[in-house]
Amino acid sequence: ACAGGNFLNVKANQKILALEEVDDAFFCPAAGDEGLAVGAALIGYYEMSIMSGRNPENVPLKDAYFGSSFSNEEIEESLKKNNLLEKAEFIDDIDSETGELLTKGSIVARFSGKMEWGPRGLGNRSILANASDHEVIKKINNAIKMRDFWMPFGPSILESRMQDYLVDSINAPYMILAFDTTEKRNEMSAAIHPYDLTCRPQTVIGEYNPGYEKVLKSFEAKTGIGAILNTSFNLHGNPIVWSPDIAIDTFNNSDLDAIALGNYLLKKN
């Protein structure tokens, strides 16, 4: 089990897993300082259990959505405060609509459910795009993320399709592992590391995030592609957006085409 900031290096993690001496390894999704509080609590639980004569229970980590969430009512208030409620549309099946927008070339921010634990946007605080369109790299870097050109993006891949895109695939729900890619890599070329043709994927598991899985399945139904580009919802140098107000401010100060805020959809045009 590996933690500490060094284990955010996905290429190093790939090499560790490939070692002949290593049968399996777990890389904490919040491998840096943000994981310290949870680790301290876990140690405290084990120590208290042993002191009281109980056997501590081992509960495997599954999804990493432990952060704050905001109701549609709170989002509505934020839209009102920013004079955007009249421009926003309430959509019951917002996730399918988000997938549809991606098929049309839109770059969409998704703010939904509980925030992710750790440094990666895992679909709930993410900027999404069609990963088969290589041109979105320039648009996201220049007009949205304000990042250097060489900084790679990662794909979100349906669990049922990971073998189509990843060599020696295993579930990787936290974007903390790198994989070699198959010949179908062109379907997610904007989310591939161009120098070695590896990628840093998030495999999307319906049990962990059914709403985000619906986004990908909606996109897949129209395109046949089981992956999309996913990068954290923030401007470069800023933290991942936390509240609806910060999400709206980021939307207003970037060239995002649309934002799905809970069940509210807000478009630029």
Side-chain angles (χ1 to χ4, degrees):
C2 304
N6 284 340
F7 296 104
L8 293 175
N9 184 328
V10 298
K11 286 292 292 178
N13 296 347
Q14 182 184 20
K15 290 183 180 296
I16 290 169
L17 277 173
L19 291 171
E20 185 179 347
E21 299 87 348
V22 176
D23 294 322
D24 195 10
F26 171 77
F27 302 93
C28 180
D33 289 349
E34 67 272 29
L36 289 176
V38 175
L42 190 62
I43 290 172
Y45 163 70
Y46 271 74
E47 290 179 348
M48 291 177 67
S49 296
I50 292 167
M51 287 171 60
S52 62
R54 296 195 309 269
N55 288 324
E57 295 181 32
N58 293 313
V59 181
L61 179 68
K62 293 187 177 180
D63 70 74
Y65 303 102
F66 299 142
S68 302
S69 63
F70 294 84
S71 67
N72 280 321
E73 290 74 23
E74 290 171 307
I75 290 169
E76 181 179 329
E77 285 301 313
S78 186
L79 288 166
K80 280 181 184 177
K81 184 168 62 176
N82 288 276
N83 299 313
L84 290 170
L85 184 59
E86 290 185 1
K87 295 181 180 179
E89 181 181 3
F90 187 93
I91 298 176
D92 289 325
D93 192 357
I94 187 71
D95 294 320
S96 293
E97 180 67 21
T98 300
E100 288 266 350
L101 286 171
L102 298 178
T103 68
K104 299 172 182 175
S106 296
I107 298 175
V108 185
R110 184 173 187 263
F111 183 102
S112 178
K114 291 184 176 181
M115 190 173 180
E116 299 85 344
W117 177 51
R120 314 289 192 211
L122 300 175
N124 283 3
R125 304 289 184 275
S126 290
I127 293 171
L128 311 175
N130 181 349
S132 69
D133 178 7
H134 204 265
E135 291 300 311
V136 302
I137 295 175
K138 185 183 295 185
K139 181 175 180 182
I140 294 175
N141 277 338
N142 292 345
I144 299 172
K145 296 282 283 191
M146 290 73 171
R147 312 180 340 154
D148 293 315
F149 72 92
W150 50 266
M151 299 177 73
F153 295 112
S156 290
I157 302 172
L158 286 169
E159 179 191 24
S160 60
R161 297 290 304 278
M162 62 185 185
Q163 292 180 354
D164 290 344
Y165 302 109
L166 308 176
V167 176
D168 296 328
S169 62
I170 57 173
N171 276 324
Y174 313 122
M175 266 194 176
I176 202 164
L177 298 175
F179 293 85
D180 294 328
T181 54
T182 70
E183 292 181 357
K184 291 180 75 69
R185 68 178 68 91
N186 63 302
E187 294 188 356
M188 53 180 196
S189 60
I192 296 292
H193 304 162
Y195 303 108
D196 61 4
L197 302 180
T198 62
C199 73
R200 180 196 66 196
Q202 171 200 9
T203 54
V204 178
I205 302 170
E207 176 191 353
Y208 294 1
N209 196 331
Y212 191 40
E213 182 188 51
K214 183 179 280 191
V215 173
L216 271 81
K217 286 193 170 182
S218 172
F219 180 80
E220 180 191 35
K222 286 291 181 69
T223 64
I225 299 172
I228 60 175
L229 183 149
N230 170 17
T231 187
S232 57
F233 185 6
N234 62 292
L235 300 178
H236 187 52
N238 293 330
I240 298 176
V241 300
W242 171 69
S243 68
D245 281 344
I246 298 171
I248 290 170
D249 184 67
T250 304
F251 176 69
N252 287 335
N253 288 285
S254 69
D255 283 348
L256 281 164
D257 296 311
I259 180 173
L261 271 170
N263 283 87
Y264 284 95
L265 180 64
L266 189 63
K267 298 180 182 178
K268 280 280 169 65
N269 297 316

